[in-house]
Amino acid sequence: MALLHLSGLMKSYASPDEPARTLVVDVPSFELHAGQQLALHGPSGSGKTTLLNLVAGILRADAGEIWLAGHNLTAVGESRRDRLRSELIGYIFQTFNLLQGYTALENVELAMRFGRGHDAAFAKHLLERVGLASRMNHRPRQLSAGQQQRVAVARALANHPRLILADEPTGNLDPAHAAAAIDLIRQVCREQGAALLLVSHDPTVLARFEEVVHLGAINRAAA
Amino acid sequence: MSQETGNQAAGAPASAGPAEVGYARVRGRSFSTLGAVLLLVRKSLRQHAFSTAITIGSVALAAGLVMAVFAIQEQSEAAFTGGPVGFDAVLGARGSQLQLVLNTVFHLETSPGNIPWTLYQEIRRRPYVKLAIPYALGDNYLGHRIVGTTTELFTDFEYQQGRRFEVAPPGRVFDPERMEAVIGSVVADRTGLRLGSVFNPYHGLEYDRQMRHEEEYVVVGVLRPTNSPSDRVIWIPIEGVYRMSGHVLRGTGADYVPSAAREIPDEHKEVSAVMLKFRGPDAGMRLDLEVNRQGRIATLAWPIGAVMADLFDKIGWVNRVLQLVALLVVLVSGGTILAGVYNTISERRREFAILRALGARRRHVFAAIVCESAAIGLIGSVLGYVVYAAILALAAVVVRAQTGVVLDWTEVHWILWATPVGMTMVGALAGVIPAVKAYATDVASNLTPST
């Protein structure tokens, strides 16, 4: 009963130094179930971000299939992928990627407007849940790195996603805050019923997961 | 069946739950997405406040200029060709009809010459002439023309239907046998003459302090404003012009100098023009045939509006050049919008990538940029009303002082609504190129901050 199913997924890039394209992702098969929380571990350059971008529909695969909640992302056009991403996936980036001119609340609400629709009460609830009740109207520059990360978590959950993708989500936090951030992400994913696929090379982060898989085990290009 | 539903065909791996993509939410989502686009526009305008303000300022100047050029042209043409003239025709010396109209109706230009008083008397007796009022020109006071006329101008003449010259209380119309004057409202404002003021006329239509007449006139009435060229005029009895020191009458062809004790014989009198009001529509045609085609001593300017319209037709290319310049200014402001928005696109690539990662479609990003450019055009052109009002207020002062024609900045013109609509469209068009650039933003490569 897989929420996410990858089969024969391949992605390569043209390299300026080599005549042949560089294969970055080569995943014969991979599954993630609803509510499952899995950490993928691999060094820099092992294709972690590319794999998440493929799952999110931000990148288009060279070959293979990506099935998410019954939808074949590799068979639909870009606009449809954008819509599915906004409705089924929440994405937490290493650099948070908050919009600087917008308040914490506006960052969460904007994600809703491009997704399932604006719900101010739920946006406030999410920010309260991540401990930012008194910081809703602050802009990213007025928040600490840890607070910005929590806004990013709230924003990722804005559209009741089925899957949260987290790309080195604690890369900009110190170890103490990193552990707390991972615990928060895992907890709110459980509360919202979203599965979590996290990639990291940080042992502190990986230690907080029951399920950790080396990327090389699923991605032959990284093996 | 849609492509989307087709993608959930048999063969798909069993998912953990039903596909919950919100087809039923499409309508609500559309409004939500529109709100998102408008939010993006508002935020971007605020985030780039300085460059936006500069661009809006230039658009406001362009819009104000365009509105002013078109409005001033239309208002001035309307005033000169169909404004509050009150007369149907002007009879004057043989020469240019245009000069005759400008001289007597708008109190501009020099007089083409005089016609005999006897001709005036003969014309006024025609049954189809409702009103004939003689004008005698030749003097001024501080540059304001002094026109000798009869009291009929105040008692019988309507400068607009149902509206006669009105002397502000406690003033009155001059006594035709005294050296008294009635002054227009602009004269009162600009010269300081008031009820009871005494002044000496100056010879000629242009003020020359060396040409001062010895006669003293007393102001017995100040006219209420008519918003017509008459506001710039000093009216005195026509007899006073004849008897002004230094004036020579040539009604018979020979010089005649009036003496104080004797009545002036009619055959010596002259008038600069006779202002005519007809009883019927065919009167002008009859007199035109008689005076302009068969006669040799006088000219009939009829109809007055057509004479002025002919002038505007001749100088119409000037208006067209001005309009072309104004439209070029609009194009330049469109270029300013394009450059202003385009320059922000590179620094906003990451913002677009984040929006796309959040689920914004390429068309949303495209629409946001086009709407932003259109908003700059709209805001700029709305602020252009201030520029328009300022230009028109300034122009109105100058034009009224020089011609007596009143420009009204509150008057509604088609250009006042066409400009915001046009500028918004120009803004939207200017936004297409930056929008295409934003549309093409690659998401994956722009999600990481550049160092």
Side-chain angles (χ1 to χ4, degrees):
Chain A
M1 300 286 280
L3 170 72
L4 174 68
H5 178 84
L6 311 181
S7 69
L9 189 65
M10 300 182 85
K11 180 67 181 176
S12 62
Y13 289 114
S15 169
D17 302 326
E18 298 172 25
R21 292 174 69 86
T22 304
L23 188 64
V24 180
V25 171
D26 179 7
V27 179
S29 180
F30 173 77
E31 287 190 346
L32 186 75
H33 296 274
Q36 186 181 351
Q37 298 193 343
L38 176 69
L40 290 175
H41 136 249
S44 296
S46 59
K48 300 189 299 289
T49 300
T50 301
L51 178 62
L52 291 194
N53 282 345
L54 285 167
V55 172
I58 290 172
L59 287 175
R60 193 171 181 87
D62 296 339
E65 291 186 341
I66 302 169
W67 287 87
L68 177 64
H71 300 273
N72 184 356
L73 298 188
T74 48
V76 298
E78 183 185 70
S79 179
R80 178 73 180 139
R81 286 203 310 276
D82 290 340
R83 184 189 292 180
L84 290 170
R85 177 168 64 250
S86 68
E87 295 180 343
L88 298 175
I89 296 172
Y91 206 142
I92 304 171
F93 303 91
Q94 177 182 353
T95 51
F96 315 141
N97 279 341
L98 299 179
L99 293 166
Q100 294 300 315
Y102 297 69
T103 65
L105 183 61
E106 286 169 338
N107 265 281
V108 177
E109 288 179 334
L110 195 61
M112 289 176 163
R113 289 179 185 277
F114 288 120
R116 292 179 185 272
H118 183 218
D119 184 346
F122 185 58
K124 286 177 183 167
H125 165 75
L126 285 172
L127 286 168
E128 285 167 4
R129 175 63 191 88
V130 298
L132 291 175
S134 61
R135 296 284 188 277
M136 288 187 194
N137 295 314
H138 286 56
R139 290 196 163 76
R141 281 194 195 87
Q142 299 167 309
L143 300 171
S144 68
Q147 289 170 332
Q148 290 185 47
Q149 180 63 288
R150 281 184 269 162
V151 175
V153 171
R155 185 180 65 181
L157 292 162
N159 289 309
H160 305 281
R162 305 284 299 279
L163 172 65
I164 293 288
L165 301 174
D167 183 7
E168 301 277 11
T170 59
N172 283 350
L173 302 179
D174 58 61
H177 284 98
I182 292 301
D183 290 346
L184 177 66
I185 291 170
R186 294 195 65 191
Q187 180 60 32
V188 293
C189 282
R190 262 184 232 112
E191 290 169 7
Q192 300 296 323
L196 173 63
L197 180 61
L198 177 144
V199 296
S200 177
H201 66 272
D202 183 351
T204 313
V205 170
L206 299 171
R208 307 197 79 79
F209 278 81
E210 296 81 22
E211 273 191 274
V212 178
V213 174
H214 190 277
L215 192 61
I218 62 165
N219 182 11
R220 290 190 299 207
Chain B
M1 181 179 283
S2 70
Q3 184 188 10
E4 288 77 5
T5 50
N7 289 327
Q8 299 178 71
S15 71
E20 291 179 354
V21 179
Y23 299 109
R25 299 190 184 97
V26 170
R27 190 176 301 157
R29 193 165 50 205
S30 298
F31 285 114
S32 190
T33 306
L34 177 64
V37 169
L38 294 178
L39 179 65
L40 293 177
V41 171
R42 186 164 61 84
K43 286 288 181 180
S44 178
L45 292 177
R46 282 184 61 178
Q47 274 181 282
H48 308 96
F50 182 72
S51 61
T52 300
I54 298 289
T55 310
I56 285 176
S58 71
V59 172
L61 283 174
L65 192 64
V66 169
M67 290 190 274
V69 163
F70 279 83
I72 288 173
Q73 280 180 359
E74 289 200 3
Q75 281 200 32
S76 56
E77 188 167 342
F80 276 104
T81 58
V85 171
F87 295 105
D88 295 323
V90 186
L91 184 71
R94 196 75 178 162
S96 159
Q97 292 187 22
L98 178 62
Q99 186 183 4
L100 194 57
V101 171
L102 287 174
N103 184 44
T104 56
V105 177
F106 296 99
H107 303 288
L108 303 167
E109 269 278 4
T110 55
S111 169
N114 294 329
I115 55 174
W117 176 267
T118 49
L119 179 58
Y120 152 65
Q121 286 181 311
E122 196 250 316
I123 291 289
R124 75 175 298 181
R125 283 195 290 269
R126 303 278 176 96
Y128 53 80
V129 173
K130 183 179 178 185
L131 190 63
I133 297 178
Y135 278 4
L137 292 81
D139 296 311
N140 79 92
Y141 175 69
L142 304 181
H144 291 277
R145 294 188 177 203
I146 295 173
V147 178
T149 188
T150 62
T151 54
E152 290 169 293
L153 184 73
F154 306 100
T155 55
D156 298 348
F157 170 64
E158 293 180 351
Y159 66 91
Q160 275 181 332
Q161 189 153 13
R163 302 187 71 175
R164 292 197 169 113
F165 288 140
E166 199 178 330
V167 180
R172 59 174 172 78
V173 174
F174 57 70
D175 182 333
E177 295 183 354
R178 290 171 180 263
M179 289 199 288
E180 293 177 342
V182 172
I183 63 175
S185 58
V186 171
V187 177
D189 290 343
R190 292 174 65 108
T191 64
L193 289 177
R194 296 285 179 269
L195 212 58
S197 297
V198 175
F199 67 94
N200 294 86
Y202 291 80
H203 189 69
L205 296 180
E206 301 294 327
Y207 172 61
D208 179 351
R209 59 187 304 177
Q210 308 294 325
M211 306 296 284
R212 184 167 172 269
H213 285 296
E214 291 305 315
E215 287 78 4
E216 288 186 340
Y217 277 77
V218 59
V219 177
V220 297
V222 178
L223 294 178
R224 291 194 190 281
T226 62
N227 291 336
S228 74
S230 300
D231 292 344
R232 296 184 298 118
V233 174
I234 297 171
W235 308 96
I236 65 171
I238 197 165
E239 190 82 3
V241 175
Y242 296 152
R243 294 185 181 279
M244 202 76 75
S245 54
H247 283 193
V248 177
L249 300 177
R250 296 187 182 90
T252 59
D255 289 358
Y256 176 85
V257 180
S259 65
R262 292 182 57 190
E263 192 174 326
I264 305 170
D266 283 352
E267 65 268 24
H268 291 294
K269 292 179 184 173
E270 295 177 287
V271 293
S272 302
V274 181
M275 312 305 290
L276 297 169
K277 187 86 184 161
F278 298 131
R279 291 189 193 282
D282 59 339
M285 212 174 297
R286 289 171 62 182
L287 205 56
D288 177 52
L289 182 69
E290 183 183 332
V291 174
N292 292 336
R293 316 245 175 125
Q294 297 169 354
R296 285 193 172 79
I297 60 166
T299 293
L300 183 76
W302 172 86
I304 290 173
V307 173
M308 292 306 296
D310 189 43
L311 169 67
F312 279 92
D313 282 347
K314 284 173 182 161
I315 62 169
W317 64 272
V318 176
N319 287 348
R320 283 190 285 279
V321 168
L322 280 174
Q323 289 169 358
L324 186 64
V325 170
L327 292 174
L328 284 175
V329 169
V330 169
L331 286 182
V332 170
S333 71
T336 308
I337 296 174
L338 191 158
V341 176
Y342 191 87
N343 287 338
T344 68
I345 297 297
S346 292
E347 67 183 68
R348 294 165 66 186
R349 282 183 184 278
R350 185 157 175 246
E351 176 188 332
F352 299 141
I354 294 170
L355 290 170
R356 294 288 316 286
L358 292 177
R361 311 325 170 245
R362 285 186 193 271
R363 66 174 182 272
H364 296 151
V365 175
F366 184 92
I369 300 300
V370 169
C371 287
E372 181 180 328
S373 299
I376 290 172
L378 178 63
I379 296 169
S381 54
V382 168
L383 290 177
Y385 284 125
V386 178
V387 178
Y388 161 76
I391 292 176
L392 223 72
L394 190 65
V397 171
V398 176
V399 171
R400 186 171 186 220
Q402 297 299 318
T403 68
V405 167
V406 175
L407 301 178
D408 181 4
W409 69 272
T410 63
E411 193 173 309
V412 177
H413 286 268
W414 64 271
I415 195 71
L416 297 184
W417 64 260
T419 300
V421 171
M423 286 304 302
T424 305
M425 291 172 67
V426 167
L429 281 175
V432 168
I433 291 175
V436 167
K437 191 178 177 186
Y439 182 93
T441 298
D442 180 71
V443 181
S445 61
N446 284 289
L447 277 174
T448 309
S450 55
T451 53

